[in-house]
Amino acid sequence: MTMKWDEFFARRAEDLGFIHLTRREDLIVDRLVSSGAGVDFLVTVMREGVATGRLFGVQVKARAGSIRSTAGLNRRVSGADPSVADVPFPVCVFVFTMGDDRGYYGWLREPVLSNRRSPTLRLVEHVEWSELDRGALAEIVHTVEAWYEAQKRSTRQHASSPEPRSQVV
Amino acid sequence: MSIRRSGVHDLIAARGESIFRVLISRSHVEHGYLFQVPHFLGDKQRTVDFYVELVSADSAPLHFFVQVKATRTGYTRKDRRLRVRVSAAELRRLVGYRAPTYIVGIDEQWERGYIVSANGERTRGWATMTTAYPLEGDVLAQLKDEVEAYWAHPASTEFRSRFTDPGWRDP
């Protein structure tokens, strides 16, 4: 039952991802095993104990050792995994450094709200890494909620309009 | 497989299992990785939850068993003992395993873990456990030494774990 180091690190990173995500009681965390879809966790935001249907995905990666700053992380993560290109909801990537179990995150399918009438998901080519902690997770959830709210507004505004409701770029 | 929260107890248990796997498979500052990521043994009918192998060059993997108890109820004021309940029946079943066997208490909120022997030193159940053996650094190294020593002579002598609870006072 011995395992290779890649598998060892991958399993530790998956557990660390689960631990981080489940720190919030308003998230339902589904672990997708062997999905091959580029998403390891499917996360549903709850409001007042009820699932809202607002989803985001999390891809989890492991890295040996530790880093001094986020500059030490590969920014071209998305290029190595095109499997998230057509995912229709926000997706972020978590990386955990195995030497110290610290976590970092960035967006792969980033919610963009610059145009309030048509919220978009940007396919990120160069990941901007930030440290993952409770505050960062709160920011992720806030961003996801804001994107879905904008989608809802956009849908209402376009109910009587022939313009496209939402763009995926 | 999908882990979905169906209740707060399921969530605490699932978090406890993940916290245990992460804590025990951490790298030691001098010795590197000491244990493989534990294998979850599945259903709740089992007494032991995890099979854990040592990281070792031996062809025959050395191992031990763990039952994980996760709690959100914190510690006692006196002696700062973790509030986890283990029954006498559970302890009797754990003694039946022919390998080193331990109970790990997980403080789910603060994501800390503590280990204690379950190799027959105590026959009565308990409602709190010692926090003298946190799952970190030297305790992990001592655990590896203990399991290696057991498997060096598995049938020769009665196994005496160093991870006994100072609060145990069986008659």
Side-chain angles (χ1 to χ4, degrees):
Chain A
M1 294 176 88
T2 54
M3 62 183 76
K4 296 175 181 172
W5 287 112
D6 283 354
E7 185 187 350
F8 177 89
F9 290 154
R11 290 181 60 177
R12 293 197 78 247
E14 190 180 307
D15 275 318
L16 285 162
F18 181 76
I19 291 167
H20 275 265
L21 289 167
T22 52
R23 284 173 180 168
R24 284 185 67 112
E25 299 231 333
D26 60 348
L27 301 180
I28 297 172
V29 181
D30 287 305
R31 197 182 308 218
L32 308 180
V33 176
S34 302
S35 68
V39 174
D40 297 302
F41 290 104
L42 201 56
V43 184
T44 304
V45 180
M46 291 197 296
R47 190 178 297 146
E48 296 174 356
V50 178
T52 59
R54 296 178 172 188
L55 303 172
F56 67 98
V58 177
Q59 185 183 91
V60 177
K61 292 181 177 294
R63 182 197 157 108
S66 57
I67 57 172
R68 290 185 177 179
S69 78
T70 56
L73 293 170
N74 183 6
R75 297 178 66 211
R76 292 187 60 82
V77 169
S78 61
D81 192 351
S83 56
V84 298
D86 293 323
V87 175
F89 46 76
V91 178
C92 49
V93 54
F94 290 179
V95 172
F96 294 98
T97 46
M98 296 291 102
D100 54 11
D101 289 348
R102 297 181 80 158
Y104 305 87
Y105 84 98
W107 289 102
L108 295 180
R109 299 286 286 155
E110 183 177 20
V112 177
L113 302 170
S114 56
N115 180 351
R116 295 180 65 189
R117 293 190 63 188
S118 46
T120 58
L121 284 173
R122 185 170 69 95
L123 182 57
V124 176
E125 293 182 4
H126 299 284
V127 177
E128 294 294 330
W129 294 105
S130 301
E131 195 150 351
L132 179 64
D133 53 21
R134 289 174 194 268
L137 184 58
E139 182 63 32
I140 290 169
V141 173
H142 175 77
T143 302
V144 169
E145 285 266 61
W147 185 76
Y148 279 102
E149 276 299 320
Q151 269 211 327
K152 197 158 84 176
R153 280 198 304 271
S154 177
T155 301
R156 285 178 186 153
Q157 288 171 359
H158 289 83
S160 60
S161 165
E163 292 179 34
R165 294 186 308 179
S166 171
Q167 296 174 351
V168 176
V169 293
Chain B
M1 183 182 74
S2 172
I3 291 179
R4 175 172 281 275
R5 182 187 310 180
S6 57
V8 69
H9 294 294
D10 288 344
L11 173 67
I12 293 170
R15 276 179 53 78
E17 289 157 9
S18 285
I19 292 165
F20 166 66
R21 279 193 292 257
V22 165
L23 293 178
I24 197 120
S25 59
R26 262 190 182 149
S27 176
H28 186 278
V29 66
E30 288 179 37
H31 307 297
Y33 294 99
L34 305 175
F35 306 104
Q36 301 282 353
V37 177
H39 292 271
F40 185 57
L41 296 175
D43 68 72
K44 293 181 178 178
Q45 302 305 313
R46 290 179 187 266
T47 303
V48 293
D49 297 318
F50 287 98
Y51 166 94
V52 188
E53 282 182 6
L54 278 57
V55 171
S56 120
D58 290 345
S59 56
L62 310 182
H63 67 274
F64 60 97
F65 293 106
V66 170
Q67 184 185 60
V68 171
K69 297 277 188 180
T71 183
R72 204 177 261 189
T73 56
Y75 303 86
T76 60
R77 284 189 180 180
K78 185 183 178 187
D79 298 333
R80 193 176 158 74
R81 293 172 64 83
L82 187 65
R83 298 180 193 276
V84 290
R85 190 172 295 278
V86 178
S87 71
E90 284 175 292
L91 289 172
R92 281 196 300 273
R93 287 197 294 271
L94 288 169
V95 171
Y97 287 85
R98 300 183 66 133
T101 306
Y102 303 90
I103 290 171
V104 167
I106 297 290
D107 171 0
E108 181 263 337
Q109 284 193 300
W110 290 97
E111 297 169 4
R112 292 178 183 144
Y114 308 91
I115 193 166
V116 72
S117 175
N119 293 285
E121 300 91 342
R122 168 86 170 190
T123 56
R124 290 158 52 198
W126 70 72
T128 65
M129 66 174 278
T130 181
T131 54
Y133 313 114
L135 279 181
E136 58 189 36
D138 289 342
V139 169
L140 293 179
Q142 290 163 1
L143 176 62
K144 184 178 184 186
D145 289 345
E146 179 168 296
V147 175
E148 283 179 333
Y150 172 91
W151 287 111
H153 307 285
S156 62
T157 57
E158 184 184 351
F159 177 53
R160 292 185 183 277
S161 172
R162 68 165 62 222
F163 303 107
T164 54
D165 189 331
W168 289 342
R169 292 185 184 83
D170 269 357

